[in-house]
Amino acid sequence: MSFDHIMSVTIGGLTVGMIYALIALGYTMVYGVLKFINFAHGEVFTVGGYVAAFSLLAMGIDASTPWLKVAGAIALALVAAVTVPMVLGFLIERIAYRPLRGRSRIIPLLSAIGVSIVLQQLIIIIFGPKPVTIPTLALSSASVSFLGVNVRVLALVIIAVSAALMIGLTYLVKSTRIGKAMRATSQDMEAAEMMGIDTNRTIAFTFLVGSALAGIGGLLVVMYYGSLKYDAGFLYGLKAFTAAVLGGIGNIPGAVVGAIVLGMTETYGVSVDLGFLAWFVVAGLVLGLYVQMVRVPNRRLAHIAADRRTPEYERSIMNVYRLTPYHGIKTLLAERTDALLSVSAVDAVRLMAGNIFLAVLAAVMFINSSARIDTRWQPVIAFVVLMVILMFRPSGILGEAVTEKV
Amino acid sequence: MVQKRTGRVLALALAALLALSMFGLSGCAADDGGDGGEGNGATGEVETIKIGVQTALTGPLPDYGLAAKNGVELALEDFGTFEMNGTTYEVELVVLDDKAEPTEAAVVAQTMVDEGVVGVIGSLTTGATLSAIPIYYENRIPQISGSVTGPKANETGADTFFRTCWNDAIQGEALGVWAMELGAKKVVLMDDNGAYAVGLADVAEDTLKAGGVETLRQNCQSGDKDFSAQVANIKEFGPDAIIFTGYHPEAGLMRKQMVEAGLGDVIFMGGDGIRSEELVAQTGGNANAEGIYATFGGFPEEQQPGYAAFAAKYKEKYGEEVGPYAQNNYDAFGALIAAIKAAGSTDTEEIIAALQTLSYEGVTGTFGFATESDGAVAKGDIVVEGLTPSNVPRYVLKDGAWVSAQ
């Protein structure tokens, strides 16, 4: 496995991840404010892509068009690909969500799924079921040499745009007036209204921003892959939503981190050798051992009244976690009445089992270090990693935004 | 404000969604057409014989099922009344629906036996056929399917099973042979995880390995857009050719991404799933599509001797274009009647013997059935005059159109 290979896989995974991120940001913003998952967001992305593709086609752009004209056309396509989804997002919120606000949470969710089905059908009716394709442009196939590896310029553009938008959004939410209104609306809609915030306007604004991001994503995907199908929004939406949850839903940097983790897992999982992947498992093991030996016992001790924390007692608790099974079990039997007993024993066993599993896994991977996972497993690996992360961190990698609600 | 449970609820919702998304759809390719007909006579007494039509009018493939039924009914008009040994025979169809389910197919097969049919046209799908074959075999009833293309359909080698459509294995072998003729020493096989594509790729891989060619297997999912992991793996492997056995939407994107990764010189080949002119746009234009190779299972429609006449008749009767495998089912019925006449008897054992030596001029060509399994050709497979595994139709993309590469 050469350096070139790792580089191209890394850049591929990063690009896929950043595309997910653009869509994930829209999910996470709406969730942050409304605690509601806008399942129609994937379709808004598809609409953006179709609008971009048809604008480019309408302007008669092909491989031989001079670059200045191409740049102009892309700028116009960008305007269209942002405007149409914004109008669409605004209308969806106004028609399908606002009248249902304040009802139980399942109702707007169903409405969102309905909107997504309607939009997908509308795309088929208006644009037809065939995928839309655009001619290869010099810009979209241009590549530069980066550390000896050929990288498509567009991949770098996608990575840069996503990163810039993430920073911009964070600024918007944290440091502007409307951002403050969004955070207030998120924390307590009624109280925000009493403070004179027009929550309806704030929510509409959130949808506008989210939809604009989806539109930009649509344009970039069409330019990067050269084609888009009417149902692309479903899979992209699903993966972006996954990324948003993985990173901690409602958390803007979390959406990007989650998207990168997902994109990288999908790509790395099946295209690098097990010996290389094993180092990620080792990193997980180190983290697991730290939690088991330091964090959990310390947290446990902090809960125990100071007068009972004799040195012997502390040692016995540490033993439970440090996995000298004999010591641990003996201590547990001796201290049967203690709060430590049931819960912490289960914790200890679970942590131990988890760490032993990781150690065995890493060993197996190192033994078969030149083997590679079959590409058939691609969706499975991403799913397993996702479940493992959520099992140990239900609120996502960076956590749901808690105090400073987005 | 934030409940701890949100994370867990989200994780659950996510798991459910991902599970749903795994029910991917996979399809099956369609081809071929035909004709052939003889007169009917009338003397003396009239006798009615029953012929079964085991198809799937409900279930996942109702369009295929209906086309099969239409094809047989059209054949009934043409061949349904015939004279033999001074007796006029009239065929009565027994149409039963097995929903393309193996369990249902066994029930249907038993019902056919109880109805006393002299032969069966069907069933529609490979899975259903597998469970019907033993029942027809034990009861010595000839069975001709016009749409089962799966290489495994007749793995038991029952002498009662015949088919008038091409076994996918023949195309798989043809692809492997072609790649070797082109001088490939290292070949990548890539499928989309669907039954059709996997079957084709398996056979092609076996053929290549038997010829001493080094192979690498890759997969994707139908609907995937990004193949950076696969492209990186392929680049590292350094093949001379890639055989993509899925369908054109993924094939086009795969080719485009390979060209962008500097793998434009690798020979790109596929089966009839990619032999669509849609492929050109999906690869990003003529520059990328030029020189892609494809095979076809059996004669393509425009080369089938009786197709034009059949299509006109079909359209007149049903008011629509020919459905998938309709002409193969038409030929199946025609061949069965021809075998009855050749046997000069309605005794099923004699009909089976007649089918084995039959040469029938149908819509899809003049054909007989293989009496023994030989390489990619299984027992009971259609053997078309002028077509052998080393001689299946070959095409190459030139200026955006498929032209013969024989």
Side-chain angles (χ1 to χ4, degrees), chain B residues 67-119:
Chain B
K69 181 169 163 275
N70 286 348
V72 175
E73 282 177 351
L74 207 54
L76 180 73
E77 284 183 5
D78 292 347
F79 317 112
T81 310
F82 60 95
E83 196 190 339
M84 190 169 72
N85 306 332
T87 308
T88 301
Y89 287 87
E90 273 184 8
V91 175
E92 183 193 322
L93 292 184
V94 180
V95 182
L96 292 175
D97 180 7
D98 68 17
K99 304 186 177 77
E101 282 173 14
T103 44
E104 200 72 24
V107 176
V108 165
Q110 193 54 52
T111 314
M112 290 286 187
V113 172
D114 299 342
E115 286 275 345
V117 297
V118 299

Side-chain angles (χ1 to χ4, degrees), chain A residues 1 5 9 16 31 130 133 136 152 187 224-225 227 241 249 270-271 372 374-376 378 383 394 405, chain B residues 1-2 6-7 10 14 18 21 193 218-219 225-226 229-230 232-233 236 253 256-257 260 278 281 284:
Chain A
M1 206 174 54
H5 180 73
V9 173
V16 179
Y31 185 89
K130 279 193 199 167
T133 53
T136 311
R152 283 179 70 190
Q187 271 177 6
Y224 189 69
Y225 295 112
S227 70
F241 170 55
I249 191 142
V270 292
S271 59
R372 200 169 284 179
D374 196 296
T375 42
R376 215 174 282 268
Q378 194 169 23
F383 181 69
K405 255 326 167 46
Chain B
M1 189 93 215
V2 164
T6 334
L10 280 173
L14 207 58
L18 278 170
S21 76
N193 272 337
Q218 295 284 296
N219 328 83
K225 283 190 98 64
D226 193 281
Q230 290 87 344
N233 286 346
E236 197 185 26
L253 282 166
K256 184 170 188 283
Q257 289 173 34
E260 279 155 1
E278 291 277 302

Side-chain angles (χ1 to χ4, degrees), chain A residues 1-2 5 8-9 12-13 16 31 35 37 39 105 130-131 133-136 140-141 152 186-188 221 223-229 234-236 238 241-242 245 249 266-267 270-271 372 374-376 378-379 383 386-387 390 394-395 400-402 405, chain B residues 1-8 10-22 191 193 198 202 217-236 248-250 253 256-257 260-262 278 281-285 288:
Chain A
M1 206 174 54
S2 63
H5 180 73
S8 50
V9 173
V16 179
Y31 185 89
K35 301 284 162 298
I37 296 154
F39 273 112
R105 284 172 70 172
K130 279 193 199 167
T133 53
I134 62 162
T136 311
S140 55
S141 57
R152 283 179 70 190
S186 159
Q187 271 177 6
D188 192 329
V221 163
M223 290 191 54
Y224 189 69
Y225 295 112
S227 70
L228 193 68
K229 213 171 146 215
F234 174 71
L235 209 57
Y236 270 109
L238 189 67
F241 170 55
T242 307
V245 174
I249 191 142
E266 282 187 342
T267 319
V270 292
S271 59
R372 200 169 284 179
D374 196 296
T375 42
R376 215 174 282 268
Q378 194 169 23
F383 181 69
L386 168 84
M387 290 322 284
L390 288 184
S395 58
E400 291 180 34
V402 182
K405 255 326 167 46
Chain B
M1 189 93 215
V2 164
Q3 306 93 332
K4 272 242 161 155
R5 280 164 63 185
T6 334
R8 233 170 281 166
L10 280 173
L12 268 178
L14 207 58
L17 266 171
L18 278 170
L20 268 178
S21 76
M22 284 181 183
D191 64 63
N193 272 337
V198 172
D202 283 349
R217 187 66 172 267
Q218 295 284 296
N219 328 83
C220 65
Q221 308 292 319
S222 176
D224 274 359
K225 283 190 98 64
D226 193 281
F227 302 111
S228 43
Q230 290 87 344
V231 170
N233 286 346
I234 291 168
K235 196 167 185 177
E236 197 185 26
H248 55 86
E250 289 79 30
L253 282 166
K256 184 170 188 283
Q257 289 173 34
E260 279 155 1
E278 291 277 302
Q282 281 144 1
T283 58
N288 290 352

Side-chain angles (χ1 to χ4, degrees), chain A residues 167-189:
Chain A
I167 294 167
L169 275 185
T170 313
Y171 174 79
L172 177 86
V173 170
K174 291 237 155 109
S175 316
T176 62
R177 238 180 116 73
I178 185 82
K180 207 179 219 176
M182 285 162 81
R183 280 179 288 146
T185 308
S186 159
Q187 271 177 6
D188 192 329
M189 210 180 285

